[in-house]
Amino acid sequence: QVQLVESGGGLVQAGGSLRLSCATSGSIFRFLTMGWYRQAPGNQRELVAIISNTGVTNYADSVKGRFTISRVNAKNTMYLQMDSLKPEDTAVYYCNAKEYVTSIRDYWGQGTQVTVSS
């Protein structure tokens, strides 16, 4: 059973930085893509950033230039470096991994709260 465990959330002032981590059980190579999503109260869950197993990245327009997604295969861990944080970045952040077997399987972490104060 795949487990994704997030860490690194917290409270930070606007303009500050946080780094989120997502540790996977087992090899990270099994996943086609890994990504970060977020959900603020009253909003739908939205994609923040995604990285493929070949290292190709993509970002939501709202975070381009401020957030950086990366993965360290040897540690089976994915990261999200968040700089120049804004109050509108406040949300629960979820780690996601997609695996292809005979179809796409989605795995989710439990979520970590990020709160940015103004």
Side-chain angles (χ1 to χ4, degrees), residues 25-88:
S25 60
S27 173
I28 201 172
F29 288 105
R30 66 190 289 179
F31 303 121
L32 288 177
T33 66
M34 295 189 71
W36 291 95
Y37 291 71
R38 67 186 181 188
Q39 187 167 18
N43 290 354
Q44 291 188 334
R45 192 172 296 189
E46 62 177 1
L47 175 67
V48 176
I50 194 167
I51 185 166
S52 75
N53 56 4
T54 58
V56 176
T57 60
N58 199 13
Y59 297 90
D61 287 343
S62 59
V63 307
K64 280 181 182 176
R66 299 188 298 121
F67 290 10
T68 304
I69 190 171
S70 62
R71 53 193 281 172
V72 177
N73 294 334
K75 294 185 176 181
N76 292 318
T77 301
M78 175 182 64
Y79 302 96
L80 185 69
Q81 178 66 40
M82 304 186 293
D83 298 319
S84 302
L85 282 161
K86 303 176 181 180
E88 51 263 44

